[in-house]
């Protein structure tokens, strides 16, 4: 079974790592979108969420952009997952046959499994920071 996280998590992590790479330089949503390879509107949506929660600040105007305001060593990936994707591991179940013992009960039976899986994912992500991801990128060079 392949589970897929909400892609906003990926955009958030990528954006913060991108900003942490050059911490003194303002970056536009277009700059970030080119790196993430997604539409700038999607990036702006995630950046708005990150700004609202105090990870970044923005400067408006012709020379505006975004800058990281928290230490990348303190931004753990679990915070970003909870902010962008909590609940996304649980699939949307199809309308099953309610006259069937399995169909009528499979979603309820599986809910706890997905909740436990997500708790484990979040617990694991607590061990990694934006600085860790940036470091891992540097190891690839």
């Amino acid at each position: 079974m392949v589970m897929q996280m909400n892609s906003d998590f990926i955009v958030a992590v990528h954006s913060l790592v991108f900003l942490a790479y050059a911490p003194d330089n303002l970056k536009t949503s277009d700059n970030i979108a080119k790196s993430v390879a997604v539409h700038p509107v999607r990036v702006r949506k995630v950046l708005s969420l990150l700004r609202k929660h105090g990870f970044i600040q923005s400067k408006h105007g012709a020379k505006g952009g975004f800058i990281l305001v928290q230490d990348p060593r303190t931004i753990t990936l679990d915070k970003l997952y909870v902010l962008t994707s909590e609940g996304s591991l649980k699939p949307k179940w199809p309308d099953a046959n309610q006259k069937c013992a399995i169909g009528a009960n499979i979603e309820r039976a599986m809910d706890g499994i997905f909740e436990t899986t997500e708790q484990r994912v979040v617990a694991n992500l607590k061990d990694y920071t934006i600085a860790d991801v940036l470091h891992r990128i540097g190891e690839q060079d």
Side-chain angles (χ1 to χ4, degrees):
M1 173 190 304
V2 175
M3 292 183 230
Q4 186 164 345
M5 273 182 201
N6 181 322
S7 61
D8 286 352
F9 172 73
I10 302 305
V11 173
V13 171
H14 191 129
S15 297
L16 292 179
V17 171
F18 189 80
L19 293 172
Y21 182 72
D24 298 325
N25 298 333
L26 288 172
K27 298 293 184 187
T28 67
S29 57
D30 287 339
N31 297 140
I32 297 167
K34 286 178 185 169
S35 180
V36 182
V38 298
H39 197 280
V41 171
R42 287 225 32 244
V43 170
R44 283 191 284 275
K45 176 186 155 220
V46 173
L47 291 174
S48 175
L49 187 64
L50 294 173
R51 184 179 61 234
K52 178 180 173 184
H53 286 86
F55 294 104
I56 62 175
Q57 288 181 346
S58 61
K59 179 182 175 192
H60 298 287
K63 295 187 180 190
F66 296 89
I67 192 162
L68 187 64
V69 294
Q70 288 190 19
D71 185 332
R73 296 171 296 182
T74 65
I75 304 171
T76 54
L77 299 187
D78 66 304
K79 294 174 189 172
L80 300 174
Y81 177 83
V82 169
L83 184 64
T84 61
S85 304
E86 190 170 41
S88 65
L89 290 182
K90 181 183 171 196
K92 180 172 177 1
W93 291 90
D95 293 330
N97 180 352
Q98 296 302 305
K99 293 178 183 176
C100 170
I102 303 302
N105 295 295
I106 188 76
E107 182 174 0
R108 181 189 51 75
M110 291 294 295
D111 279 351
I113 294 170
F114 284 108
E115 288 171 15
T116 301
T117 301
E118 186 163 63
Q119 290 167 359
R120 289 178 180 166
V121 168
V122 171
N124 188 57
L125 290 173
K126 283 181 184 179
D127 294 338
Y128 299 97
T129 66
I130 292 298
D132 293 331
V133 177
L134 186 58
H135 178 75
R136 286 171 173 241
I137 289 170
E139 289 176 349
Q140 303 301 315
D141 291 339

